[in-house]
Amino acid sequence: MQRIALLTSGGDSPGMNACIRAVARKAIYHGMEVIGINRGFNGFIEGDMGPMNLSSVADIIHRGGTILHTARSEQFLTPEGRARAYENVKRFGVQGLVVIGGDGSFRGASVFSREFGLPVIGVPGTIDNDIPGTEQTIGFDTAINTVLEAIDKIRDTATSHERTFIIEVMGRRNGSIALASGLAGGAESILIPEQPFDYEDICQRLLRGFRRGKAHSIIVVAEGASGGMEVGQRIKERTGFDTKVTILGHLQRGGSPSAADRLLASRLGAKSVELLMAGETRKMAGVKAGQVVGVDIDEALNESRPVDLSLYDLAGVLSI
Ligand code: ATP
């Protein structure tokens, strides 16, 4: 394989740049040429792409976001859009493609690879940690550390004012961020989409704490578990407590990647190039039992990736 291309797609996540660097440098190390595609599948369709060299990826390992920019592409969902992208595969002489993104991006990559026979490898980059077939995704560790920092700061002000603080974090269908940051941040309650909850229970827990002299309470809510504003309102109605809601929003996607995410991004990025060199296609570079492995994309996408409910149970015990 002489020339590979890479793109970032879907939501951005901290560590994508470290991964771009790893893919480019590993490929160049092995004597290949690298084409960077801007703005995800949109740039692929429009031919917004060009050669990368060692210095294109210098000084980015510590930066959040993605220097290649990312997008969600309506056009790539259509056979016509993908055919236009294939014209650019021919025009630029691309022999293999690395797609850094989430499960949607992998579906697109897999369809494209089957239609046109181009070898494609996925690298899981999403803060949600919701991709089947890998224990970790690039960006999750940084995101939960960002949330944790916010929880710690809110805890300081909560202690001073004796209030109930609701912190809404990302996760429309998946409670991974809420669960990990809530447990690590010592939240009184954690609400996630995967687990039904009862306002009566939550309020009783708050009232018990209040009677015991607890100065404040922190509740972490995934956005898919009814949302922070709603939770704040319902608790206020039932307990009369002053509830303050903080919606962390997009700041969870930003920031310099943690050491763990930079390591993961470097390992998975390098693995994606190895997989292409080994003649593999429709594989994802992922982590299983702590080891970096190649996983069949189509098989992985047919599996589900449940949150670890033992963490949920543990958080319930520790916040008694
Ligand atoms: P995140 O987890 O951050 O949302 P994602 O990769 O899952 O990232 P999506 O918006 O679901 O983000 O997918 C990214 C892009 O992949 C879509 O905008 C679309 O262009 C392409 N894509 C998704 N599913 C398909 C599909 N079935 N066929 C072709 N392309 C697809």
Side-chain angles (χ1 to χ4, degrees), residues 9-11 41 72-73 76-77 82 101-105 107-108 111 126:
S9 171
F41 292 127
R72 300 188 197 273
S73 170
F76 202 74
L77 294 169
R82 295 194 294 273
D103 55 346
S105 303
R107 273 179 230 285
V111 169
T126 170

Side-chain angles (χ1 to χ4, degrees), residues 2 5 7 38 49 68 85 94 117 131 147 153 172 175 197 199 222 228 244 253 275 283:
Q2 276 309 302
L7 58 81
N38 296 309
M49 51 209 274
L68 291 175
V94 171
I131 300 190
V147 174
K153 286 183 174 159
R172 276 193 293 270
F197 58 90
Y199 281 107
K244 295 286 174 206
R253 282 197 196 279
L275 289 168
K283 290 268 165 90

